[in-house]
Amino acid sequence: MSKRYRMPAVAAAVQKWDLSEWFTADQLLPRAMEELPQRTMSINVYSVSRYLRIMEARGGVLSRLNGSGTKEFKRVGEEDDGRSHFYA
């Protein structure tokens, strides 16, 4: 069975994140689980982290390492100053 439902669930969870500016994959996991289309589908923190790294490569989120070495992510949006984008 294909796991194509995971990427849209993580992307929707990132868009609906409103608790803080920066978040980790572990913090985003419950929100991503709520976004799954069926209750029988599953996702774990490693899948969330993987899809966040894919979104980072595509320019959807920014990342940084916090003091304890955990990778944190930030949604790229209208409040961003635009330095993460290249303009021709």
Side-chain angles (χ1 to χ4, degrees):
M1 180 179 178
S2 175
K3 307 294 185 196
R4 293 182 184 214
Y5 58 87
R6 290 180 176 168
M7 181 66 173
V10 172
V14 167
Q15 291 303 316
K16 292 182 179 179
W17 182 261
D18 58 353
L19 298 178
S20 62
E21 186 177 12
W22 293 91
F23 54 88
T24 63
D26 190 36
Q27 293 170 335
L28 193 65
L29 178 62
R31 189 81 45 113
M33 290 174 72
E34 291 174 2
E35 296 298 325
L36 293 174
Q38 296 178 2
R39 290 194 180 272
T40 59
M41 297 178 173
S42 64
I43 192 168
N44 58 27
V45 71
Y46 302 108
S47 296
V48 172
S49 176
R50 177 175 172 241
Y51 290 115
L52 285 171
R53 283 185 279 127
I54 290 170
M55 291 176 68
E56 178 187 10
R58 293 180 182 172
V61 295
L62 298 174
S63 70
R64 70 177 182 187
L65 287 176
N66 67 7
S68 63
T70 304
K71 199 169 207 183
E72 294 181 324
F73 297 91
K74 173 186 172 185
R75 180 178 56 227
V76 175
E78 297 81 31
E79 68 275 353
D80 189 39
D81 61 0
R83 287 184 286 177
S84 63
H85 301 286
F86 295 103
Y87 296 101

